[in-house]
Amino acid sequence: MTQSSGTTPSGNVDSQLDNLINRIHALSGDKAGSDPSGTAKPRPSGNPPAAGQATAPAAASNLAPGTTPANTPQPANVPQPNAATTGRPPAGAPPQRPANPAGPPAAPPNRTQGQNAPSQNRPAPARPRPPQPAGYQPNRDEPWRPAEPESMQAGHINETLVESIIFRFILNAGEVEGRRIADQVQLPFRLIEPILERLKMDQSVAYKSATATNDYVYVLTESGRAIARNHLHDSTYHGSCPVRLPDYIESVKLQTIEGQYPKREDLQRAFSDLLINPKMLHRLGPAVASGRGMFLFGFPGNGKTSIAERVTGAFGKYIWIPRAVDIDGDILRVFDPMNHEAVMPESSGGLLNSGSFDKRWVRIKRPTIVAGGELTMEMLEVLNNTTSNISEAPLQMKSNCGTLVIDDFGRQKMSVDQLLNRWIIPLEKRYDFLNMASGKKIQVPFDQLVIFSTNLEPKDLVDDAFLRRIPYKIEVENPPEADFRKLFEIMCKVTKIPYNAEAVDYLVKTHYLPVDRPFRNCQPRDLLLQVRNYCLYNNLEVELKKEYFDFACDNYFSVM
């Protein structure tokens, strides 16, 4: 059987190849193989076409797109070129942009109104609670615990910042093991090891030796020391890896003092070591439960400071605070051993114990920070060390989720107006603005119970606008005679002096009632200490006698 003209095997191959090329161009969006009209260009060839082969492409180029010559059979296994496969629109159709297979599918041109309408009526998705460590259950004493980061991304960790801390630490230590580096930055070793390996590949660090625990002792190379010195110009900080400011703000929300609402039994437990009048406790309860602020005023010596220092005990026991916070490269220290008492969770022991919590955070007792006459305006702002370029958080930030006591209010080095102007907005809005050394202004929570303790009348110190922002003004009154006598019984146990009711009765009837001297809560302790010191100095038995009280009162009330 003879083959008709234009249907030779070589012609079929060329036709198939042209169709495949057109399909490739259509799928890739490439128009290099098409002319402006969308028709395929003939493939150039260095050899003249064989007989019977030149007529097929030429005839095909004169046909409408998507048609083939009638005398050219189409192989069954080759798809026919059409608008979908060649990317060429039908005749007379407007040109279309070629599809991009690498990008998302194009949206249909005619969306419904519901699809185009903004989702303003949709409920906002609930904010997911941060992951909790295994085996931990939130409770009132510890409402939140930071989980150990599984990766740099999950822990919101700035890897560049970690590298700079590692460089400064190795430069300071000289040589150090890999696991000690991880302990220094308070991150799991599995997150630090890839960084050390990369620094080793970059020849910034080198192995000095291996350890028995499949670890290495790292030292800086010459280029590594140059990098470390450059990092020292920015800051000398080489401690725990800081946490992000948004993570710290979120932690305050989860541990806020406002949402706990202590009850009567909570206050009774907090003041169990004090003799406090039930009337006074009844007035203190709502003020403490509000978590806002209060004025404690009254005569000196009635226990205003003692009451203020015990208020925090009515709330949960522990909170978590970061060791340091990263604010766009600025390091702000928050944990302060002088004002915070660390109480880390008990570990189960063993080599495989990981603690399951983020070591960049410290669990502390809810803070109670007391500032007296030494308080200055600088203590309420970010303190920056220009030499180390490390900043220290102000007192109000360190007291978040706790209590801040301004003792002897009105006797500070700065004027009362300065303090009130600084805090009049934070007391109402519950957030504060701080200025960093770099000039950046940040917003931080102002979430603590602020207690102003003063011997002066509040209305003589501040104006009505400020008093309005302190909703509770509580006077600490003088104790009644029954409570005053009861205090002698309590303090005799503390000072280890045998209690003598007859001597106490003589003291009240001789040195108080005839001269109309007011009772104060501090006087039983002070008088008993004078009696004890008198007996010890004269080598006498420590006991309560009338003449001992006479001596103590002559000294104690000589100018009162």
Side-chain angles (χ1 to χ4, degrees):
M1 181 180 296
T2 62
Q3 295 178 340
S4 61
S5 176
T7 59
T8 61
S10 59
N12 289 337
V13 172
D14 287 340
S15 177
Q16 295 176 25
L17 186 58
D18 287 336
N19 292 335
L20 290 176
I21 290 174
N22 289 334
R23 291 193 63 196
I24 293 173
H25 289 165
L27 292 175
S28 63
D30 187 10
K31 296 184 179 181
S34 303
D35 62 11
S37 63
T39 57
K41 293 183 179 180
R43 291 181 294 106
S45 175
N47 299 322
Q53 294 179 353
T55 58
S61 63
N62 295 325
L63 296 175
T67 62
T68 57
N71 61 347
T72 304
Q74 299 297 326
N77 59 346
V78 177
Q80 299 301 317
N82 50 37
T85 59
T86 63
R88 297 194 298 271
Q96 297 181 359
R97 182 176 299 176
N100 182 11
N110 51 350
R111 293 184 179 179
T112 62
Q113 183 177 1
Q115 291 173 330
N116 290 330
S119 58
Q120 57 185 3
N121 295 328
R122 298 178 184 175
R127 183 175 56 193
R129 188 178 180 89
Q132 302 295 330
Y136 161 76
Q137 292 294 333
N139 54 77
R140 188 175 186 274
D141 284 338
E142 189 180 353
W144 174 75
R145 179 180 293 186
E148 186 177 68
E150 296 295 331
S151 64
M152 290 289 189
Q153 183 177 6
H156 305 140
I157 300 171
N158 187 335
E159 192 167 333
T160 303
L161 180 59
V162 175
E163 283 188 12
S164 64
I165 295 175
I166 291 176
F167 272 115
R168 289 191 287 259
F169 178 55
I170 300 178
L171 181 65
N172 181 73
E175 58 182 54
V176 62
E177 297 179 4
R179 295 189 183 277
R180 187 183 167 199
I181 296 176
D183 292 340
Q184 180 71 12
V185 299
Q186 299 294 334
L187 289 174
F189 181 67
R190 67 178 183 276
L191 302 185
I192 298 300
E193 190 175 20
I195 299 178
L196 296 175
E197 291 178 356
R198 186 177 68 253
L199 297 181
K200 174 65 170 59
M201 294 290 294
D202 295 341
Q203 297 184 354
S204 298
V205 300
Y207 299 149
K208 180 178 181 181
S209 60
T211 66
T213 58
N214 197 24
D215 196 2
Y216 296 96
V217 176
Y218 292 88
V219 295
L220 292 176
T221 62
E222 189 63 32
S223 61
R225 283 193 290 272
I227 296 174
R229 293 190 189 100
N230 288 333
H231 285 306
L232 283 177
H233 292 306
D234 299 331
S235 174
T236 62
Y237 182 81
H238 57 270
S240 169
C241 175
V243 305
R244 298 189 315 156
L245 179 61
D247 294 338
Y248 168 70
I249 295 175
E250 182 66 20
S251 72
V252 174
K253 293 179 181 177
L254 295 173
Q255 305 173 104
T256 176
I257 201 171
E258 282 193 84
Q260 292 220 338
Y261 302 109
K263 303 296 187 293
R264 183 185 302 273
E265 54 271 16
D266 297 318
L267 261 71
Q268 290 174 344
R269 182 184 67 254
F271 296 108
S272 60
D273 61 333
L274 286 183
L275 179 62
I276 186 168
N277 192 286
K279 178 183 175 182
M280 182 67 181
L281 191 66
H282 180 71
R283 298 187 64 189
L284 277 174
V288 175
S290 71
R292 302 290 289 185
M294 72 176 82
F295 260 111
L296 290 180
F297 65 97
F299 292 106
N302 279 338
K304 295 183 297 296
T305 304
S306 298
I307 292 174
E309 290 175 343
R310 287 163 175 79
V311 164
T312 313
F315 299 91
K317 293 182 180 180
Y318 309 116
I319 64 169
W320 289 82
I321 63 172
R323 301 177 189 270
V325 175
D326 172 30
I327 305 171
D328 295 337
D330 291 338
I331 306 298
L332 181 65
R333 281 179 173 163
V334 178
F335 174 65
D336 182 3
M338 294 187 64
N339 290 299
H340 298 144
E341 183 179 351
V343 186
M344 299 303 290
E346 296 181 1
S347 62
S348 58
L351 295 176
L352 298 180
N353 175 57
S354 62
S356 71
F357 58 85
D358 194 340
K359 307 300 188 303
R360 297 176 297 164
W361 299 73
V362 186
R363 191 178 78 167
I364 64 170
K365 289 185 177 180
R366 281 196 182 264
T368 301
I369 297 180
V370 181
E374 76 281 1
L375 181 65
T376 61
M377 184 60 72
E378 289 75 17
M379 299 170 67
L380 304 180
E381 303 294 344
V382 173
L383 300 177
N384 181 64
N385 189 320
T386 56
T387 303
S388 64
N389 203 19
I390 302 174
S391 300
E392 191 78 15
L395 285 181
Q396 66 270 24
M397 187 173 177
K398 292 180 180 179
S399 64
N400 272 335
C401 302
T403 303
L404 177 59
V405 181
I406 308 300
D407 202 12
D408 291 330
F409 180 60
R411 305 183 188 276
Q412 280 71 34
K413 295 180 180 179
M414 59 180 172
S415 66
V416 172
D417 291 339
Q418 285 181 303
L419 178 60
L420 301 186
N421 292 334
R422 175 65 181 83
W423 277 357
I424 194 168
I425 298 301
L427 282 170
E428 183 172 2
K429 301 296 185 181
R430 306 301 288 173
Y431 58 78
D432 192 14
F433 288 101
L434 301 176
N435 294 313
M436 301 299 298
S438 61
K440 182 179 179 63
K441 183 184 289 287
I442 62 172
Q443 179 179 323
V444 296
F446 192 85
D447 188 278
Q448 64 280 109
L449 179 62
V450 182
I451 301 178
F452 296 90
S453 173
T454 180
N455 302 327
L456 308 175
E457 188 69 25
K459 63 182 180 181
D460 296 335
L461 289 173
V462 297
D463 55 16
D464 293 341
F466 187 79
L467 286 176
R468 179 178 62 82
R469 290 167 170 82
I470 306 295
Y472 295 92
K473 300 89 175 173
I474 301 174
E475 182 180 6
V476 182
E477 301 175 345
N478 293 329
E481 182 179 341
D483 288 352
F484 186 75
R485 293 175 179 269
K486 183 67 176 178
L487 281 171
F488 272 100
E489 294 185 36
I490 296 174
M491 295 308 302
C492 279
K493 297 178 181 178
V494 175
T495 57
K496 298 180 180 180
I497 301 176
Y499 176 71
N500 186 346
E502 183 180 351
V504 173
D505 185 68
Y506 168 80
L507 170 69
V508 172
K509 292 181 178 181
T510 304
H511 296 282
Y512 278 89
L513 298 181
V515 296
D516 199 21
R517 179 171 287 133
F519 300 112
R520 301 287 166 79
N521 285 319
C522 65
Q523 292 170 355
R525 176 200 60 196
D526 296 342
L527 292 174
L528 288 175
L529 287 176
Q530 291 224 17
V531 169
R532 183 173 180 272
N533 293 332
Y534 175 82
C535 294
L536 293 175
Y537 175 77
N538 292 285
N539 200 22
L540 301 172
E541 182 181 356
V542 179
E543 57 182 339
L544 293 184
K545 288 186 176 182
K546 299 177 182 180
E547 55 270 25
Y548 297 169
F549 271 132
D550 291 337
F551 173 82
C553 289
D554 288 342
N555 288 331
Y556 193 74
F557 297 115
S558 59
V559 293
M560 296 174 65

